[in-house]
Amino acid sequence: HQVALVTSDGRGISRAIALGLARQGVAVVVSARTASEVAATAAKIQEGGGRALAVTGDVSRASDVNRMAGQTLETFAVAIPR
């Protein structure tokens, strides 16, 4: 299965991208620094029957990026191709 990590603010273009990917059957991880925005986008995806995870974090911080990746892998059991 496909999984996408969409980073930004959970609004505008990033929200439209996340919703569009979900409509195509992609599991979507929505990430931004503001929890309420990403939670709303993830909830919208889930209400439509899609799979979504809201993760807060700042992509300029390596520790946040590692945490986001770990939560994505754990939630959607993604195997990284070698």
Side-chain angles (χ1 to χ4, degrees):
H1 63 270
Q2 295 178 316
V3 178
L5 173 59
V6 179
T7 63
S8 187
D9 58 7
R11 298 175 289 170
I13 292 173
S14 63
R15 179 180 170 92
I17 290 170
L19 294 171
L21 288 167
R23 281 192 296 274
Q24 297 298 314
V26 177
V28 181
V29 179
V30 185
S31 177
R33 293 180 292 181
T34 307
S36 61
E37 294 293 344
V38 295
T41 300
K44 180 84 171 166
I45 291 169
Q46 293 166 343
E47 288 167 8
R51 296 173 296 149
L53 172 67
V55 180
T56 57
D58 182 341
V59 296
S60 69
R61 298 171 63 178
S63 61
D64 284 5
V65 172
N66 288 333
R67 183 177 45 75
M68 287 187 279
Q71 287 179 288
T72 300
L73 294 171
E74 183 178 311
T75 300
F76 294 114
V78 177
I80 299 174
R82 297 183 185 258

